[in-house]
Amino acid sequence: MQIEYRLLPKHERKSPPPQGTVLSFGMLRTNHMFVMEYADGTWQNARIVPYAPFSLMPGSMCFHYGQCFFEGVKAFKHDDGEIYIFRPDQNATRMNHSAEVLCMPSVPVEVQLDAVHRLVDVERDWCPSEPQSSLYIRPFMFATQDSLGVKPSATLIYCIILSPSGAYYKGGFNHAVRLLITKKYHRAVSGGTGSAKAAGNYAASIRPQIYAQSFGVDQVLYLSADNTCIEEVGTMNHYHVLKDGTFVIPEFSDSILRAVTSVSVLELAAAGSIKARQEVVCLDAFIDGIRSGEIIEAGGFGTAAVVSPVGGYVFEDGTELVVGDGGIGGHSRRLYEMYTAIQTGKAPAPQGWLSKVPRY
Ligand code: COI
């Protein structure tokens, strides 16, 4: 697909933050975005244009029925001065999974990859190189048909914006988060949209998150709808580490997002670099495992969160369950270091994991 470039004149462009700036997550924008529309059964009008508001009808279906979803991808500047995107093919494939769940049209993976590489090329000066920072890439799709009937929208927009970002959780890897284990709120049910990056999943997570904060913790650890099993955290998959160093990730299902970080950790395990597996994780066994010392660490895996250690859990009756010493465990630290070394080019990446951004 032909992509048209309509770039701002150089003198009208904002400059990236100076080297050494401590970046927060998702607050900054670059000068341009990628946009294309879906109409008459086809994607069209692909372009890279200045970052600017959309003009949408108030009756656009995204505002009413939430037919929207997004992805999160990261690009890193390596010591050779080039920019590498981490596993964009995985996100493009998951984008099309979300599209299928939400009855929206897919975008060919090669079109998504071309768009993201060309946009990052235009904005290559915005890719930070400070530790724990990256150029966060946010592709998303939303329904634009001006119609109040509940049905798949006939028109849509696919867009990619960029945000030079630091760690998702304040303090990054060096801060162990705490999670609320609640039986009151659930993120997803079997047969629902939990495996998609549907905007509605995140809208529904805001009330539980505020509820969690009222207990003095960061996020919710979501359980299955019958409150028996551990599912995920909402901003990341969950993991725990056994005494023998094995990372255990809850088995993916249609109510758990297939985090690219979890998939990558499992691939590292298959290659023999670490020990990791998936299984259905029952809440009672998990609690017993922490109490008996069989489980020594826990945390979350996600593109934004990377590897985020969890120091402990709080229950709705106010009781606490501390994992290990409540801090950052050695297995999590080693995995974090291994993973980020791969992303930033300090260690060799498995074949196909890093995609160099061409100078078009
Ligand atoms: C990501 O990890 O990239 C996500 O999309 C999660 C989001 C809540 C920041």
Side-chain angles (χ1 to χ4, degrees), residues 1-2 27 33 85 127 151 203 213 225 227 286 302 313 339:
M1 178 182 278
Q2 196 65 27
M27 297 306 291
M33 61 184 182
I85 307 180
C127 190
K151 61 182 182 215
Q213 286 160 357
N227 290 324
F286 175 69
Y313 303 83
Y339 199 74

Side-chain angles (χ1 to χ4, degrees), residues 77 81-83 120-127 357-359:
K77 184 177 263 168
E82 298 297 329
I83 303 198
V120 173
D121 174 44
V122 166
E123 305 288 46
R124 59 174 59 244
D125 293 349
W126 288 80
C127 190
V357 176
R359 293 170 190 268

Side-chain angles (χ1 to χ4, degrees), residues 10 13 26 35 43 45 84 111 124 132 138 166 172 186 214 217 226 295 309 320 348:
K10 288 241 157 66
R13 297 184 192 177
V35 196
W43 288 107
N45 202 10
Y84 295 81
V111 171
R124 59 174 59 244
Q132 304 205 43
R138 174 51 66 88
H186 296 91
S214 74
V217 306
D226 63 1
I295 292 173
E320 292 210 34

Side-chain angles (χ1 to χ4, degrees), residues 143-213:
T144 56
Q145 188 179 350
D146 188 349
S147 166
L148 299 184
V150 179
K151 61 182 182 215
S153 178
T155 59
L156 301 114
I157 288 180
Y158 171 94
C159 180
I160 308 173
I161 60 172
L162 304 176
S163 178
S165 288
Y168 187 76
Y169 294 110
K170 245 200 168 98
F173 180 81
N174 297 315
H175 163 71
V177 297
R178 289 157 76 233
L179 303 177
L180 177 72
I181 297 184
T182 174
K183 297 190 173 176
K184 181 169 171 177
Y185 294 114
H186 296 91
R187 174 183 172 276
V189 292
S190 178
T193 58
S195 68
K197 276 187 90 70
N201 294 343
Y202 294 81
S205 75
I206 294 172
R207 186 165 65 148
Q209 184 177 314
I210 290 169
Y211 179 64
Q213 286 160 357

Side-chain angles (χ1 to χ4, degrees), residues 15-351:
S15 300
Q19 273 271 329
T21 304
V22 178
L23 300 168
S24 52
F25 177 82
M27 297 306 291
L28 291 176
R29 300 286 172 268
T30 65
N31 287 298
H32 300 92
M33 61 184 182
F34 171 88
V35 196
M36 64 181 172
E37 282 102 21
Y38 184 85
D40 303 322
T42 174
W43 288 107
Q44 49 193 270
N45 202 10
R47 58 205 187 270
I48 295 175
V49 290
Y51 183 82
F54 292 117
S55 173
L56 294 175
M57 287 302 185
S60 292
M61 290 167 71
C62 60
F63 297 134
H64 304 270
Y65 308 128
Q67 209 189 5
C68 322
F69 64 88
F70 66 93
E71 267 302 326
V73 194
K74 280 180 172 173
F76 299 88
K77 184 177 263 168
H78 288 195
D79 288 344
D80 64 1
E82 298 297 329
I83 303 198
Y84 295 81
I85 307 180
F86 186 73
R87 311 202 75 176
D89 52 328
Q90 296 282 319
N91 294 90
T93 304
R94 194 173 62 183
M95 187 104 189
N96 286 341
H97 169 72
S98 296
E100 188 186 334
V101 170
L102 293 167
C103 297
M104 295 158 85
S106 61
V107 179
V109 167
E110 60 281 7
V111 171
Q112 295 189 55
L113 294 180
D114 192 36
V116 78
H117 284 84
R118 284 178 184 275
L119 179 63
V120 173
D121 174 44
V122 166
E123 305 288 46
R124 59 174 59 244
D125 293 349
W126 288 80
C127 190
S129 49
E130 286 76 21
Q132 304 205 43
S133 66
S134 63
L135 185 63
Y136 185 76
I137 303 167
R138 174 51 66 88
F140 58 107
M141 192 193 290
F142 58 95
T144 56
Q145 188 179 350
D146 188 349
S147 166
L148 299 184
V150 179
K151 61 182 182 215
S153 178
T155 59
L156 301 114
I157 288 180
Y158 171 94
C159 180
I160 308 173
I161 60 172
L162 304 176
S163 178
S165 288
Y168 187 76
Y169 294 110
K170 245 200 168 98
F173 180 81
N174 297 315
H175 163 71
V177 297
R178 289 157 76 233
L179 303 177
L180 177 72
I181 297 184
T182 174
K183 297 190 173 176
K184 181 169 171 177
Y185 294 114
H186 296 91
R187 174 183 172 276
V189 292
S190 178
T193 58
S195 68
K197 276 187 90 70
N201 294 343
Y202 294 81
S205 75
I206 294 172
R207 186 165 65 148
Q209 184 177 314
I210 290 169
Y211 179 64
Q213 286 160 357
S214 74
F215 287 84
V217 306
D218 305 271
Q219 293 276 340
V220 171
L221 174 61
Y222 289 102
L223 304 178
S224 54
D226 63 1
N227 290 324
T228 58
C229 294
I230 287 181
E231 296 224 310
E232 65 161 284
V233 181
T235 49
M236 54 191 187
N237 283 166
H238 187 262
Y239 70 80
H240 62 262
V241 184
L242 303 176
K243 228 167 28 190
D244 72 352
T246 304
F247 286 79
V248 180
I249 303 166
E251 192 82 50
F252 296 139
S253 69
D254 68 350
S255 53
I256 298 181
L257 192 82
R258 197 183 167 81
V260 173
T261 312
S262 299
V263 170
S264 303
V265 166
L266 292 164
E267 287 178 30
L268 289 174
S273 311
I274 53 163
K275 287 191 271 188
R277 65 163 189 262
Q278 285 190 293
E279 64 188 34
V280 172
V281 180
C282 294
L283 179 62
D284 289 345
F286 175 69
I287 293 171
D288 288 349
I290 292 177
R291 290 203 174 122
S292 70
E294 184 55 31
I295 292 173
I296 54 171
E297 296 177 28
F301 292 139
T303 296
V306 197
V307 177
S308 287
V310 172
Y313 303 83
V314 172
F315 295 91
E316 277 155 322
D317 64 3
T319 54
E320 292 210 34
L321 184 61
V322 175
V323 191
D325 63 3
I328 296 154
H331 295 284
S332 298
R333 183 174 296 284
R334 276 189 293 282
L335 178 59
Y336 174 79
E337 283 167 1
M338 179 193 297
Y339 199 74
T340 52
I342 291 172
Q343 290 182 316
T344 54
K346 308 272 190 295
Q351 181 67 29

